[in-house]
């Protein structure tokens, strides 16, 4: 019950901010690096781990991104390909 309640005209919204422990991203073959970044950056910035499944046609870009995250100081295992 640590959320907030919002009245919106004839309905309502209830927002509870808490991390989802593990998220999953599935990449497409077009724009492989941008797709991986767009899915992983928000998840990692909010404290979630991510398992990313790249396209079988372009797997190297996700592996390179994993190396970049590791060099940037992301804890091991937080972004997995």
């Amino acid at each position: 019950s640590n959320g907030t309640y919002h009245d919106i005209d004839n309905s309502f919204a209830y927002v509870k901010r808490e991390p989802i422990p593990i998220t999953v991203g599935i990449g497409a073959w077009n724009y492989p690096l941008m797709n991986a970044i767009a899915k992983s950056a928000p998840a990692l910035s909010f404290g979630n781990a991510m398992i990313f499944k790249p396209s079988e046609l372009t797997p190297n870009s996700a592996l390179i991104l994993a190396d970049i995250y590791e060099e940037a100081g992301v804890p091991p295992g937080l972004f997995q390909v």
Side-chain angles (χ1 to χ4, degrees), residues 13-36:
Y14 180 78
V15 178
K16 185 173 183 181
R17 298 181 189 274
E18 62 184 16
I20 301 169
I22 300 175
T23 58
V24 176
I26 299 174
W29 64 270
N30 54 346
Y31 304 109
L33 183 60
M34 187 60 202
N35 200 335

Side-chain angles (χ1 to χ4, degrees), residues 32-42 52 65 69:
L33 183 60
M34 187 60 202
N35 200 335
I37 293 170
K39 292 175 187 283
S40 64
F52 187 77
L65 180 62
Y69 280 149

Side-chain angles (χ1 to χ4, degrees), residues 36-53:
I37 293 170
K39 292 175 187 283
S40 64
L44 295 175
S45 66
F46 284 105
N48 303 311
M50 169 159 273
I51 299 172
F52 187 77
K53 192 260 179 220

Side-chain angles (χ1 to χ4, degrees), residues 33 61 63-74:
L33 183 60
S61 57
L63 294 172
I64 292 169
L65 180 62
D67 290 339
I68 291 170
Y69 280 149
E70 185 177 335
E71 287 180 28
V74 172

Side-chain angles (χ1 to χ4, degrees), residues 1 4 8-9 11-12 20 22-23 25 30 36-37 41 45 47 50 57-59 66 72 75 77-78:
S1 82
T4 56
I8 305 171
D9 295 331
S11 63
F12 69 94
I20 301 169
I22 300 175
T23 58
N30 54 346
I37 293 170
S45 66
M50 169 159 273
L57 301 175
T58 56
L78 208 58

